[in-house]
Amino acid sequence: MSKIAVYFPGIGYHCDKPLLYYSRNIACELGYQNYRNVSYTYKSGNIRGNEEKMKEAFEALFSQTEAELADMDWSEFDDALFISKSIGTIIATSYAAKYGLKHARHVLYTPLAQTFLSAPNNAIGFIGTADPWSDTNEIIRLSKANHIPLTVYENCNHSLECNDTLKNLENLRDIMQRTMDFCKRTT
């Protein structure tokens, strides 16, 4: 079985930060030796709460993603794992929908409400109750409506962290264990 993992970072959360770094290591351990770190940039200031800027950022980042993945022949892979963070969750699910990648599975770290517009099929999500980018109750509702298991971390921010380092490490371990369990499942 041919596998690939593709990582879609957030704007300020690159692929070497803990959630994406450790999930990449886990995926490699599970046989996803082929992987791509999508890299994109957007430097138009703070977009939080500004629907117009958010749309502009999405369009710019999505275009960069399409260019970066233009050489991909998705038919070569039996298993495509998309691991994404923040705005990357919107990009990953939109990309899978646009290119008809029904076999793509999604790990959604701190998904935004727009992530669910593409109705990702096989997915798992993680959110914190103190995430300033998302209305946690809305994300819970959207996850349930889309049949996506969602783990909620009390008092955690958009990086799924709180003010207690040891609790952060405990949460990170839990997040990575759940990520690993999801990655082990077959489509």
Side-chain angles (χ1 to χ4, degrees), residues 97-155:
K98 179 175 180 178
Y99 290 93
L101 303 178
K102 294 185 187 324
H103 68 294
R105 298 184 300 142
H106 296 272
V107 177
L108 307 168
Y109 296 129
T110 64
L112 305 177
Q114 298 90 332
T115 302
F116 301 94
L117 295 174
S118 298
N121 284 333
N122 195 347
I124 188 172
F126 303 87
I127 194 80
T129 61
D131 187 334
W133 282 83
S134 294
D135 175 339
T136 304
N137 291 327
E138 180 182 19
I139 299 302
I140 291 169
R141 183 185 61 74
L142 291 168
S143 292
K144 282 181 183 176
N146 285 277
H147 310 288
I148 296 172
L150 181 73
T151 304
V152 180
Y153 295 90
E154 289 298 318
N155 302 314

Side-chain angles (χ1 to χ4, degrees), residues 7-23 38 40 84-88 109-110 157-161 172 175-176:
Y7 299 85
F8 300 82
I11 291 175
Y13 199 98
H14 55 76
C15 288
D16 287 328
K17 289 209 172 189
L19 295 169
L20 298 178
Y21 173 82
Y22 287 111
S23 63
V38 175
Y40 34 66
S84 55
K85 170 75 175 80
S86 187
I87 196 169
Y109 296 129
T110 64
N157 63 21
H158 197 56
S159 295
L160 292 174
E161 295 177 339
L172 183 61
I175 293 163
M176 289 306 117

